[in-house]
Every structure is written in C-alpha cells, then in structure tokens.
C-alpha cells in the first residue's frame, strides 16, 4: 500500500483561531459568577487544635480576610481574601509552615 495515499493532499491555508469568537459554555458562565478563585485558599493537613480564630489571626497579618471556613474532621480549612494579591502573598508565606505543631499546606482553591 502506498503511504502517500493516506495523507491528505489538501494544501488550503490554515485558519487562525483568532478569527473565531470564544463562546463560553453554561458551566463556564456559572463559574465566573462565583467569587474569583484566586482569592480563595485551601489549607490542608491542619492540626486538630487549629481553630477558625487562630487561622484568621495568622492570615490577617497578610491582608483582609473575608471568610474562614473550617472542617476539623478533615483537618482542612478554606480562607477567602478581599484581594487576590493578598492570597498570593499568603500562600508564599504560609505554605509548608508549622502551625500548632502541624506542617500545613496552602494552595489555591479551584
């Protein structure tokens, strides 16, 4: 069998993707209506002793904390900041830091 027959012989110019308009899916629309995910941090591997007020006290040194949700059974928490730049600084400062005897991880919630 001749291998050249499998390949398309069309040599028409390729259209660039910039010519098309992006139309978001309904799921994408719902996500954009929620808060900016860059302002929300997920804390994992927390100590059982770590409280909501302790987390707020620590993270308020970086910026304005809007909300702190804790899940003690899972040893996790979610922190939402007023501004995304505060969340970035907070992640850099507290990722892999020891709080109440436990090394916590800090990542952006998606």
């Amino acid at each position: 069998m001749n291998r050249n027959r499998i390949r398309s012989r069309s040599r028409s110019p390729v259209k660039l993707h910039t010519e098309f308009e992006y139309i978001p899916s309904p799921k994408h629309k719902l996500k954009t209506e929620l808060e900016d995910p860059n302002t929300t941090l997920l804390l994992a591997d927390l100590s059982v002793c770590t409280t909501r007020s302790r987390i707020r006290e620590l993270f308020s040194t970086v910026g304005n904390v809007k909300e702190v949700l804790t899940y003690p059974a899972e040893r996790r928490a979610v922190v939402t900041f007023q501004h995304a730049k505060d969340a970035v600084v907070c992640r850099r400062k507290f990722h892999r830091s020891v709080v109440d005897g436990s090394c916590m991880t800090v990542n952006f919630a998606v």
Side-chain angles (χ1 to χ4, degrees):
M1 181 175 197
N2 189 355
R3 290 187 182 206
N4 292 335
R5 296 182 111 193
I6 297 172
R7 189 173 143 186
S8 171
R9 295 187 185 272
S10 173
R11 298 290 182 240
S12 60
V14 178
K15 291 184 180 181
L16 299 175
H17 293 288
T18 56
E19 295 177 14
F20 302 105
E21 181 182 344
Y22 174 72
I23 301 172
S25 67
K27 287 182 182 180
H28 187 289
K29 227 177 200 181
L30 292 175
K31 286 182 183 178
T32 57
E33 291 172 1
L34 299 175
E35 290 184 69
D36 184 11
N38 293 332
T39 62
T40 306
L41 296 176
L42 175 65
L43 314 179
D45 303 326
L46 293 172
S47 170
V48 179
C49 305
T50 306
T51 61
R52 185 178 298 167
S53 60
R54 173 82 169 126
I55 294 169
R56 185 177 289 276
E57 175 189 330
L58 283 172
F59 287 12
S60 292
T61 60
V62 175
N64 189 10
V65 177
K66 280 175 59 174
E67 182 179 30
V68 178
L69 301 173
T70 56
Y71 305 95
E74 299 174 10
R75 297 177 52 199
R76 293 178 183 230
V78 177
V79 179
T80 305
F81 281 90
Q82 189 75 29
H83 303 287
K85 64 180 179 177
D86 296 336
V88 171
V89 172
C90 185
R91 189 202 181 273
R92 288 181 186 153
K93 182 176 180 180
F94 289 108
H95 183 63
R96 295 287 186 196
S97 64
V98 177
V99 176
D100 295 333
S102 182
C103 180
M104 72 173 174
T105 60
V106 180
N107 289 309
F108 290 101
V110 179

